[in-house]
Amino acid sequence: MKKIMMTLAAVAVAATMNAQVYVGGEVGFETTSQDGVTNSSVTLMPEIGYNLDENWAVGLSFGFGQDKREVTKTVEGLDVTVTAKDKRFIINPYVRYTFVKLDKVNVFVDGGLSYAHYDNAGAKNNQFGIGVRPGVAVNLNDKLSFVAHFGWLGYKNSKDDYEGAKAANTFGFDLNSKVGFGMYYNF
């Protein structure tokens, strides 16, 4: 067992010395309030990847999110607030191809699969997808990169988790609303 642990440690050190492993992710928060209705959303998406060579990488992003909706109404002179929470778990393995490398800027496309599980007070939904997302990385220095993903092209299948539920299939191209920002640390 000791030999196995030493071998794994040596492999980990070798991988980090070659600057092939990166970790990072995206964090998101949004809140909107209007006419007694407040919507809040929090998302945490850690990510780990491995550079196969100068142009190709494989990675995995996974995470959790929660949406919260609060509605406040006045009933017989009293303010009454009703709260609903929607939780989600997301996992996205991907392959990345970097097709433009400038001095400090890399332009890439991620192609991958996605799975998301939503739970809204016991009403559950599962979503599977396949698609591509373009992105850009700005290398701030040898170790730190600012990364932005924008848009999506692909297919999604979404189905509520109860007997007799019908699946919803979506094929789409969207460069407008799917924007994410994050940071990577390169070992």
Side-chain angles (χ1 to χ4, degrees), residues 32-43:
T32 305
S33 184
Q34 181 181 9
D35 296 331
V37 178
T38 302
N39 293 308
S40 301
S41 178
V42 177
T43 305

Side-chain angles (χ1 to χ4, degrees):
M1 182 68 166
K2 191 175 186 181
K3 289 181 183 180
I4 293 172
M5 295 304 284
M6 292 301 291
T7 303
L8 290 174
V11 169
V13 169
T16 58
M17 289 179 73
N18 289 328
Q20 294 178 334
V21 176
Y22 57 91
V23 295
E26 298 177 1
V27 176
F29 175 75
E30 176 183 30
T31 186
T32 305
S33 184
Q34 181 181 9
D35 296 331
V37 178
T38 302
N39 293 308
S40 301
S41 178
V42 177
T43 305
L44 176 63
M45 292 289 294
E47 186 172 337
I48 186 167
Y50 183 80
N51 292 309
L52 301 171
D53 62 24
E54 268 191 40
N55 296 331
W56 290 95
V58 293
L60 175 70
S61 66
F62 56 94
F64 306 92
Q66 178 173 299
D67 297 327
K68 182 177 173 184
R69 181 179 175 96
E70 292 182 340
V71 179
T72 303
K73 297 212 179 219
T74 303
V75 179
E76 297 179 8
L78 297 173
D79 286 341
V80 177
T81 301
V82 177
T83 302
K85 292 182 182 178
D86 180 15
K87 298 177 184 175
R88 63 189 172 279
F89 169 75
I90 306 158
I91 186 165
N92 298 321
Y94 64 85
V95 174
R96 174 172 293 164
Y97 178 68
T98 303
F99 56 92
V100 175
K101 286 185 171 270
L102 302 173
D103 182 35
K104 297 275 186 189
V105 178
N106 298 337
V107 180
F108 61 85
V109 64
D110 289 349
L113 305 172
S114 66
Y115 169 75
H117 175 77
Y118 297 88
D119 186 347
N120 185 359
K124 298 179 180 176
N125 179 281
N126 294 301
Q127 186 178 88
F128 298 92
I130 185 168
V132 294
R133 289 184 74 194
V136 62
V138 178
N139 303 313
L140 303 174
N141 57 40
D142 289 343
K143 298 289 183 188
L144 199 59
S145 300
F146 174 78
V147 180
H149 289 94
F150 52 92
W152 175 80
L153 169 66
Y155 167 80
K156 288 183 183 174
N157 175 284
S158 178
K159 185 175 179 184
D160 291 333
D161 193 8
Y162 64 86
E163 191 172 327
K166 303 281 188 199
N169 297 301
T170 304
F171 178 78
F173 174 70
D174 185 0
L175 286 177
N176 189 24
S177 63
K178 304 227 183 276
V179 179
F181 299 100
M183 298 293 285
Y184 287 166
Y185 181 80
N186 302 294
F187 288 95

